[in-house]
Amino acid sequence: MIRSPGEDDSHPRHQRKHDEPPVRIMTQRIGGAEAVRVAMEASSRGPISLECSAISDPSEGDTPVQSKALQGVAEGRKAPPRVRKPSAHHDKCLAPTPDLDAHRARLREAFGDTLSDEFVDVMMGKLVEALRPNQSDQLDEPTLNAGLALIHSMQPRSELEALMAVQIVATGLSGLRFLRQSHRHMTEDFIDVYGGYALKLLRLQTELIQTLDRHRRGNRQTVEVRHLHIYPGAQGVVGIVNRAPSEGEG
């Protein structure tokens, strides 16, 4: 600011107005201990398992214990590969059958028909890391197999598409986890913080799905061709037609 000669800071125009309180921007924050409790409570709730009812419903017929779709091929669609996870507290995974070579072949097919077992092992590790980010977190067997089923449903055709499929699963399930944590107390701070994280992750998942779709379609463009029929006695113009200027327009 340029002041005239002889003018100092004691002038009323340069004195601070003490009667006006300073403006403070309040940010929503959640304490570390509360965040830990939220994470522990979220990890303590596992997936829902369907169990047999002790009392049969007379309106329903006899239902097999296991769905036939999980026993093999159902309507031309193969069941996704699964793994056995003995404990939710560590990352050890086992093949569900003694035939390890056949199971690895199923996993290679699910991860983009890759020819590398090392690629499958790395992608499995990244999927587990995304679903169990901390050593104190839990990752149960059904959740990991659900992630594998999602990857299998996208039918990646290369290692790059398999990597994108893992990213889609990681962002989607993580977004759902934060969305659940935003409902803990139904207060503004929890909704803003955890709900904001969930919104960003779910938006990122949508962008990844669109990116995967564009990658599969390539750089092809769709051109729509319409036929115009001109009958005898009619007039047609081919080219760019500009609107005639009205009165008052230059």
Side-chain angles (χ1 to χ4, degrees):
M1 179 178 180
I2 302 177
R3 295 192 289 267
S4 59
E7 187 176 7
D8 55 10
D9 294 337
S10 61
H11 194 275
R13 290 185 302 173
H14 308 294
Q15 293 179 355
R16 182 180 177 180
K17 296 181 180 180
H18 298 283
D19 54 343
E20 296 181 359
V23 179
R24 297 181 180 179
I25 301 177
M26 301 297 295
T27 58
Q28 302 291 344
R29 300 188 62 181
I30 298 176
E34 184 64 21
V36 171
R37 285 195 293 268
V38 171
M40 293 180 63
E41 180 181 316
S43 62
S44 63
R45 300 181 60 182
I48 304 299
S49 60
L50 184 63
E51 299 179 359
C52 182
S53 175
I55 303 176
S56 60
D57 188 353
S59 62
E60 298 291 339
D62 295 334
T63 303
V65 178
Q66 187 179 19
S67 175
K68 293 182 180 179
L70 298 180
Q71 299 175 3
V73 180
E75 298 180 358
R77 181 179 178 184
K78 291 184 179 180
R82 317 178 56 254
V83 295
R84 296 294 307 276
K85 200 168 184 300
S87 175
H89 299 279
H90 57 68
D91 300 336
K92 184 177 181 180
C93 297
L94 303 176
T97 61
D99 192 353
L100 182 59
D101 293 336
H103 184 65
R104 281 191 171 275
R106 291 291 313 280
L107 288 175
R108 289 196 302 268
E109 180 183 358
F111 284 94
D113 284 329
T114 182
L115 301 178
S116 172
D117 287 329
E118 289 83 0
F119 177 77
V120 174
D121 294 339
V122 171
M123 289 297 100
M124 284 288 296
K126 296 303 179 183
L127 179 62
V128 172
E129 288 177 5
L131 301 179
R132 183 175 178 256
N134 298 321
Q135 293 296 328
S136 58
D137 294 336
Q138 299 181 15
L139 176 58
D140 45 46
E141 181 178 311
T143 301
L144 179 57
N145 286 323
L148 287 175
L150 284 171
I151 295 174
H152 179 265
S153 69
M154 286 180 265
Q155 298 180 355
R157 298 173 295 188
S158 64
E159 287 83 356
L160 178 59
E161 292 188 3
L163 174 61
M164 298 178 67
V166 173
Q167 295 173 352
I168 291 172
V169 173
T171 53
L173 296 184
S174 299
L176 292 177
R177 184 189 307 119
F178 280 116
L179 187 63
R180 180 179 63 180
Q181 293 177 359
S182 67
H183 297 165
R184 178 177 174 85
H185 294 307
M186 293 302 294
T187 56
E188 187 176 356
D189 51 354
F190 274 80
I191 294 175
D192 288 344
V193 174
Y194 289 107
Y197 292 155
L199 182 60
K200 292 179 181 179
L201 286 170
L202 296 178
R203 284 179 176 174
L204 178 58
Q205 183 196 31
T206 302
E207 293 176 1
L208 288 170
I209 294 174
Q210 295 174 352
T211 302
L212 177 60
D213 181 64
R214 288 195 299 268
H215 172 75
R216 287 178 170 176
R217 288 187 288 108
N219 296 323
R220 294 174 297 178
Q221 294 182 351
T222 303
V223 179
E224 183 179 0
V225 180
R226 296 184 179 182
H227 297 276
L228 178 63
H229 299 278
I230 301 177
Y231 297 95
Q235 295 181 353
V237 178
V238 178
I240 300 176
V241 180
N242 296 322
R243 182 178 60 88
S246 58
E247 295 183 1
E249 294 183 355

